[in-house]
Amino acid sequence: MTTLSDHKRRRIDELTARTSTAAGVSLIRDAGRRLRRDPAAIVGAAIILLFLIIAIFAPLVAPHDPVQRFPELTRDLTVDSVPGASAGHPLGSDPLGRDFASRMIYGARQTLFVGVLATLIGLLFGVLLGAVAGAVGGWVDVVIMRITDVMLALPSLLLAITLVALARQSTQWTVIVAVAVVNVPIFARLLRGSMLAQRESDHVLAARALGVKRHDIVTRHMLPNSLTAVIVQATLTFAVAILDAAALSFLGLGDPDINRAEWGLMLGVDGVRYLEVRPELAYYPAIAIVLVALGFTLLGESMRAALDPKNRR
């Protein structure tokens, strides 16, 4: 005769055996599986990969030197006319008689370089400040967070314009530094919040009970488990950094070198001036900027959803 307790015991044994034989799936692996099935992530990754290939292989892809002036283009230049598409120049000329298609291709390299480098610098310093604030706490945490609060109180573009205006001369590096500084408080506050949440987790409390040193707890337990949200935010910040850098160049606060192909500069200097004559000079850089920002945004939002433990099935 089978009793109720025997039935419960048998059921527990079956569940235990099933669990022990089933292969567990980590959060990262599960997130990767869902990203591969997410149409938005695929589209975003494809856009980013396309522009990265164009930027890396620009000398091979571009039909001409981006700073070379062509006689067949310059002879048709007037105050009110810029040559359009012609043989050998599929997108026509820019206002200085240079091949516009080649400058668009090289502009991908310059724009991505500024946006990616600014984000990485902001990520580095933001992680350092956030880790110090979250690990040390006390008055150090208060001071760092009050500084980040002041920086976050200002619109990012306005703060970047202020920082660039303080420089003696606007260059490519002033734009990179300004955009990086704007992103530092975002990463610092996000990492600090994640580390505070990790501070009271079970594995951290267990490590403290075992007498593990604070340095080891921070570097081996708290920091690695807090970086996921920061990495996802960095992917989203790439889009904002590219838009901010393009906006600074559009406003004339970027690199003043007219030979440097950069989408924001092309949009501001040439596109607006000849908008009624050759609107393509503004349309093409604007579309390229929007597409790159869209790619990073789609991928970042998909990564955020995929890495959220609440979405695991």
Side-chain angles (χ1 to χ4, degrees):
M1 180 177 180
T2 304
T3 62
L4 181 61
S5 60
D6 293 336
H7 177 74
K8 290 182 178 180
R9 188 181 301 110
R10 190 183 309 110
R11 180 59 177 165
I12 292 174
D13 292 339
E14 292 176 357
L15 292 175
T16 303
R18 186 182 304 175
T19 304
S20 61
T21 56
V25 180
S26 65
L27 176 62
I28 301 299
R29 182 177 297 180
D30 183 62
R33 176 181 58 82
R34 280 187 280 140
L35 283 175
R36 290 192 295 269
R37 299 178 179 179
D38 189 351
I42 295 174
V43 173
I47 293 174
I48 296 171
L49 181 61
L50 174 62
F51 280 99
L52 282 176
I53 293 175
I54 293 175
I56 294 172
F57 299 101
L60 301 178
V61 178
H64 304 287
D65 187 341
V67 300
Q68 180 182 357
R69 299 185 180 185
F70 294 88
E72 64 271 21
L73 297 178
T74 55
R75 68 167 176 260
D76 295 329
L77 287 175
T78 64
V79 178
D80 300 324
S81 176
V82 178
S86 61
H89 307 284
L91 297 184
S93 169
D94 77 339
L96 294 179
R98 299 169 296 191
D99 183 66
F100 192 69
S102 299
R103 294 187 63 78
M104 282 293 302
I105 292 173
Y106 273 86
R109 168 181 290 188
Q110 185 64 24
T111 302
L112 287 175
F113 172 76
V114 173
V116 170
L117 186 57
T119 302
L120 293 179
I121 294 175
L123 175 63
L124 175 62
F125 286 95
V127 167
L128 289 176
L129 292 177
V132 171
V136 178
W139 67 268
V140 176
D141 180 23
V142 173
V143 171
I144 294 177
M145 287 301 103
R146 294 300 77 78
I147 294 175
T148 58
D149 288 341
V150 172
M151 297 178 66
L152 290 173
L154 299 174
S156 60
L157 184 57
L158 179 60
L159 180 58
I161 292 175
T162 303
L163 294 174
V164 173
L166 292 176
R168 294 183 179 179
Q169 183 179 1
S170 297
T171 64
Q172 179 186 26
W173 290 103
T174 58
V175 173
I176 293 175
V177 171
V179 176
V181 170
V182 168
N183 293 325
V184 167
I186 300 175
F187 296 121
R189 177 163 286 278
L190 181 59
L191 181 61
R192 180 252 188 186
S194 299
M195 291 190 68
L196 290 181
Q198 289 290 326
R199 182 183 295 177
E200 303 302 326
S201 59
D202 293 338
H203 63 280
V204 173
L205 294 176
R208 288 177 183 168
L210 292 173
V212 180
K213 296 181 180 179
R214 176 189 289 185
H215 176 269
D216 293 332
I217 293 177
V218 171
T219 56
R220 295 182 181 180
H221 299 280
M222 295 175 62
L223 187 58
N225 290 295
S226 303
L227 286 176
T228 301
V230 179
I231 294 174
V232 173
Q233 181 61 41
T235 307
L236 293 170
T237 305
F238 281 130
V240 180
I242 290 173
L243 292 175
D244 287 345
L248 291 174
S249 297
F250 175 80
L251 295 173
L253 298 174
D255 193 343
D257 186 3
I258 61 174
N259 289 324
R260 193 185 299 275
E262 199 271 326
W263 290 337
L265 184 64
M266 296 166 65
L267 176 62
V269 174
D270 301 334
V272 175
R273 184 184 306 173
Y274 295 91
L275 186 60
E276 295 183 359
V277 179
R278 280 282 310 281
E280 306 96 301
L281 296 179
Y283 291 165
Y284 291 139
I287 292 174
I289 293 171
V290 171
L291 284 177
V292 173
L294 177 63
F296 281 111
T297 301
L298 289 176
L299 182 60
E301 290 292 346
S302 299
M303 289 178 61
R304 174 181 292 176
L307 289 170
D308 189 351
K310 297 178 182 179
N311 294 331
R312 297 192 72 182
R313 295 181 176 84

